[in-house]
Amino acid sequence: MAGGSVTDWVADHIDPNAGFKLVNRTAEDFLLIEDRDGRTYPVAVVGAKPVVMPADVAPVLAHTRKPAFVVNIPSSATWSGPAISMVHAAPAGFGTLGDLGRAARSGDLSGYRNKEFGFFERAIGQHSNVRQLTRLYDAVFLADRYSGRALTIALVDAYNMTAEDVRNAREKFGEFDIALKMSSYGSVTTAATEAAESIGAEAMKFRDLMRRLAQ
């Protein structure tokens, strides 16, 4: 970033009401933050876009002292599955500056998992017809099934899923079989269904996915 590093940028943009504060910088150039209970945690910052890859997080995980959390700037970047696996193996949490705030308030930075993504990961992975679930990106999973071919599922955060939502997911993640509306409220519009069909995919809600996985 112009005028400084991404670590400097995060240090300058920590919200005093976020549930933690910056108390120091470590020799590894981690941010040392303190939560409301006085516990301190090292936080690494990387600046990868459009996709966070293993090569982006490997340097901050190579130190003897491991970070408890890895923040990527910009927040709009996608995390690749292999990069997520590396961070979790540290062990550490990952995400945006907002995720860091939520992790700090939970009191468990290294064990932090995005609740919405975690719900779908567990639900799909525990389906009786799913042999193995692989995380391709933060919001994309590959479900290898006992019966039927494997399905690539892209999570779409939209109240009413539109054709634009489907097209944006395709542009961001590449090919997938199912565009899954994350919210239990709202609808999958006819336009979204048609847009998905035009790229050889399906657009659906969670309950429909559970039936689709069984087929």
Side-chain angles (χ1 to χ4, degrees), residues 2-137:
S5 70
V6 288
T7 304
D8 293 331
W9 187 92
V10 171
D12 291 339
H13 287 78
I14 291 176
D15 184 345
N17 299 313
F20 66 94
K21 64 181 179 180
L22 175 64
V23 294
N24 208 341
R25 294 275 279 265
T26 73
E28 300 86 359
D29 201 29
F30 296 158
L31 300 177
L32 193 64
I33 68 165
E34 181 180 281
D35 67 14
R36 289 171 176 166
D37 295 321
R39 294 170 294 206
T40 58
Y41 307 89
V43 174
V45 182
V46 296
K49 61 179 182 180
V51 180
V52 184
M53 301 298 291
D56 298 311
V57 297
V60 299
L61 298 177
H63 298 288
T64 301
R65 183 181 193 179
K66 307 299 182 189
F69 198 94
V70 180
V71 173
N72 184 69
I73 301 297
S75 60
S76 59
T78 299
W79 280 75
S80 70
I84 292 171
S85 295
M86 285 182 64
V87 171
H88 283 173
F94 79 94
T96 65
L97 189 53
D99 287 315
L100 174 60
R102 286 183 282 274
R105 290 190 292 274
S106 76
D108 183 15
L109 268 71
S110 62
Y112 173 81
R113 303 292 184 268
N114 181 290
K115 289 184 178 179
E116 291 186 329
F117 291 163
F119 167 80
F120 291 103
E121 185 173 16
R122 289 189 300 274
I124 297 170
Q126 293 171 2
H127 192 283
S128 60
N129 195 35
V130 172
R131 182 199 311 271
Q132 181 177 338
L133 189 68
T134 303
R135 195 169 192 174
L136 304 180
Y137 297 102

